[in-house]
Amino acid sequence: MKHDRDFDPNYGAAVEILPGVRRLTVNNPGPFTFFGTNTYLLGTSRLAVVDPGPADAAHVEAILKATSGASIEAIVVSHTHVDHSPAARMLKERTGAPIVGCGVHRAARDLMENEVNPLDASGDRQYAPDQHLHESEVFSAAGLTLQTIETPGHTANHLCFALAEENLLLSADHVMSWSTSIVAPPDGSMRDYMTSIDKLLNRPEQVYLPGHGGVIHDAHSYVRDLKQHRLSREASVLRELAGAPQTIPQIVARLYADVDPALHRAAGLSVFAHLEDLAGRGLVSASPGVSLTATFSLQTS
Ligand SMILES: [Zn+2]
């Protein structure tokens, strides 16, 4: 599938995307963050700051500089990954603005016996919102109206926000232009992700502002491609198992043969997400039980 990797992070300074919508990218580039996390500044004289980013003092200063002369009325958080939410507390300390948005960090399911959460380091467990926004809830700040859309999958608490005044959706890490998003158990869930993908296709917005990378235009066609990409990945996993029972490393070695081995661990988590979903739907069985180290077979009923 085709991604858009053309992006100028313009570190340290806000870029105007539309009147009253600015993007300020954190200087935290990496294999999972692209050029860095996008913070959005919404409004003009009164502002809402969306996803202030990691605990990065220089970025907090850049936010304050870009918003000087205006009042920050709300700090909005989409999900509790360490590259999105920790600076909310730093910004609250400096401005007194409340933190609103997703609920506290949690996994999509309970840990299984002996399961070590491979994603532990990415969760911001200190995050505690002043106001937890739920499905369809409308939040007004800075003269704007944000509608909450629960979109679990990347994380269990992930939210997108529709900007009622524009044909615009803040898609955070659920839909990004530069890459597919990471869906990995136990924090994430492929079943939830696919439901959340369909949810966006049933909404009107066609322009998305993602948590990493550039603006997505013609978003529905892109989201349909993302859905197709996951469905074809699921079909290849099933095809692999049609040959013989296999472990996740065996499946990864075949399906990701042309991918940098440094990314095979992440690929394994993604295959695990598909297998967990397939097992939940009764299409695959796992021995001894569904886990990263199990052997998976097609379920013959
Ligand atoms: Zn992110």
Side-chain angles (χ1 to χ4, degrees):
M1 84 161 286
K2 203 174 162 296
H3 297 293
D4 177 10
R5 298 180 60 91
D6 188 20
F7 186 73
D8 177 3
N10 201 45
Y11 295 128
V15 177
E16 183 173 80
I17 294 174
L18 292 168
V21 178
R22 288 179 293 159
R23 178 181 66 212
L24 184 56
T25 302
V26 186
N27 192 348
N28 64 335
F32 302 114
T33 58
F34 195 37
F35 281 95
T37 307
N38 291 330
T39 297
Y40 291 97
L41 311 174
L42 308 179
T44 45
S45 57
R46 297 151 60 207
L47 298 165
V49 176
V50 181
D51 281 0
D56 176 331
H59 184 66
V60 171
E61 290 307 324
I63 293 173
L64 291 169
K65 191 174 159 210
T67 59
S68 71
S71 71
I72 295 177
E73 294 190 346
I75 301 160
V76 181
V77 175
S78 66
H79 68 295
T80 43
H81 272 156
V82 291
D83 58 326
H84 290 261
S85 55
R89 297 184 285 282
M90 298 162 77
L91 198 57
K92 179 182 174 179
E93 210 162 276
R94 298 287 293 274
T95 64
I99 299 172
V100 300
C102 65
V104 296
H105 191 74
R106 63 186 166 89
R109 59 162 170 78
D110 292 337
L111 279 185
M112 293 175 292
E113 212 184 323
N114 299 324
E115 185 180 20
V116 176
N117 187 342
L119 310 160
D120 244 355
S122 62
D124 173 12
R125 286 167 199 287
Q126 290 175 52
Y127 169 84
D130 295 298
Q131 188 183 347
H132 174 182
L133 299 174
H134 297 88
E135 175 63 22
S136 299
E137 205 169 324
V138 168
F139 174 75
S140 299
L144 304 159
T145 315
L146 294 176
Q147 188 191 359
T148 309
I149 308 152
E150 291 182 348
T151 45
H154 175 65
T155 60
N157 62 358
H158 193 285
L159 302 179
C160 293
F161 298 99
L163 201 55
E165 286 77 8
E166 317 275 351
N167 175 29
L168 207 68
L169 185 96
L170 294 154
S171 57
D173 284 11
H174 180 46
V175 173
M176 302 183 287
S177 44
W178 74 285
S179 166
T180 55
S181 60
I182 293 179
V183 179
D187 287 8
S189 151
M190 190 59 76
R191 184 86 316 245
D192 289 350
Y193 170 80
M194 292 302 270
T195 304
S196 297
I197 280 290
D198 281 335
K199 203 171 192 178
L200 295 194
L201 291 174
N202 289 318
R203 296 191 54 88
E205 296 82 14
Q206 283 286 11
V207 178
Y208 291 2
L209 306 181
H212 307 264
V215 180
I216 302 164
H217 300 279
D218 196 10
H220 280 198
S221 125
Y222 183 68
V223 171
R224 277 193 293 271
D225 284 354
L226 286 175
K227 180 177 175 177
Q228 195 46 51
H229 171 78
R230 299 288 181 169
L231 289 174
S232 65
R233 186 54 84 191
E234 176 186 282
S236 354
V237 168
L238 286 170
R239 255 194 319 276
E240 286 301 317
L241 296 182
Q246 294 197 53
T247 63
I248 289 173
Q250 288 171 327
I251 296 171
V252 169
R254 289 171 58 96
L255 294 187
Y256 293 83
D258 55 350
V259 168
D260 180 355
L263 297 173
H264 279 191
R265 182 178 164 275
L269 290 172
S270 177
V271 169
F272 184 31
H274 279 295
L275 289 164
E276 184 180 274
D277 177 27
L278 289 165
R281 288 151 57 196
L283 296 168
V284 155
S285 63
S287 170
V290 177
S291 80
L292 261 178
T293 52
T295 300
F296 293 86
S297 337
L298 280 193
Q299 181 75 276
T300 44
S301 48

